[in-house]
Amino acid sequence: MNHSLQTIILEIHNKEDKVSSQNKRLIDEAYEMTLYLQELLFSVKEFVIKEGFKDEAEETHFFRTVKPQILGKLIYYNKVYRIETTCPVSNGKMYYSYFSAQLAHLKREYIEHICNTDFYRYYRSGRTDRDDTYFKRGHINYHDGLNSIVFEIDPTFSTFYDYKIARIIANELLYTYLLTKINPDENPDMVMQKPESTKDVFWTESKNALIELIYALYASGAISHGKIGIRKISLMFQILFRIPLGDLHHAFHRMKTRSGSKAAFLDQLKQSLEEYMDKDL
């Protein structure tokens, strides 16, 4: 498969950054990303059907990793658009009840259709021994009693299980999105309204760079012996620098699929520090 397909995830990342930098309403961002991802998925489908894969390893990689990222985010943005456009009010008890109901529905769906399946445990454990069964076309086992959506998929561009991973990705993104809606303390919009005591302190790198730093501090347990969560750490930085970071979980998923270094900003920090140290020698 040609190089352009290998850079699809980076292209999505760049598109998301471009859309978010335009300071549009969330509804408009979700709509624009839905159209973009729908067109991207269509063009990738055309390419796959026409060109195929060079070997089985490339095929399983595509259906396990590449396509679910596109489809998962498409499902996510489309759902966000639907949720936002049907929200009855902009604040208050009804607003809270609406998003709480959406979150409850998401949790029920997760329990009933996702987390208790053998495939979910397989995927979450990082196993690869059955990838040839799950992520190669033409291997759908109808004796497993699969969801009826299996009859609607295009067998030339799906193994069915790529769709299941896409749903897992979408649900994780939706979970974080809904949490920020029902918990004002973790809502970036509320962070920006808090009193400012450090007006001369502001973040001058990209949002992704700050998110990378936050995750590094969280993963290392450097703050409070690792006893506080990622959202609380991120909230501290958002308040300090007066910068809304949006969907951290979403951004972190993009980092994990970067080409080259997955921690580019931390690499840059290390290099800058060492160069600074060398100046004093």
Side-chain angles (χ1 to χ4, degrees), residues 176-193:
T176 303
Y177 153 73
L178 291 171
L179 279 181
T180 64
K181 287 291 185 177
I182 64 176
N183 190 340
D185 289 336
E186 295 175 1
N187 190 325
D189 294 332
M190 295 300 293
V191 170
M192 299 302 289
Q193 298 173 18

Side-chain angles (χ1 to χ4, degrees), residues 10 13 212 254-268:
L10 180 60
H13 175 195
E212 188 178 317
R254 296 201 302 262
M255 291 176 193
K256 292 197 293 185
T257 54
R258 285 173 176 170
S259 56
S261 173
K262 291 182 173 60
F265 179 62
L266 296 182
D267 292 340
Q268 177 188 324

Side-chain angles (χ1 to χ4, degrees), residues 100-113:
S100 294
Q102 293 288 338
L103 183 59
H105 175 75
L106 183 68
K107 289 179 178 178
R108 283 196 303 272
E109 182 181 75
Y110 170 78
I111 293 171
E112 293 173 6
H113 302 294

Side-chain angles (χ1 to χ4, degrees), residues 191-202:
V191 170
M192 299 302 289
Q193 298 173 18
K194 298 198 174 186
E196 302 176 4
S197 59
T198 54
K199 293 182 179 181
D200 58 335
V201 177
F202 51 94

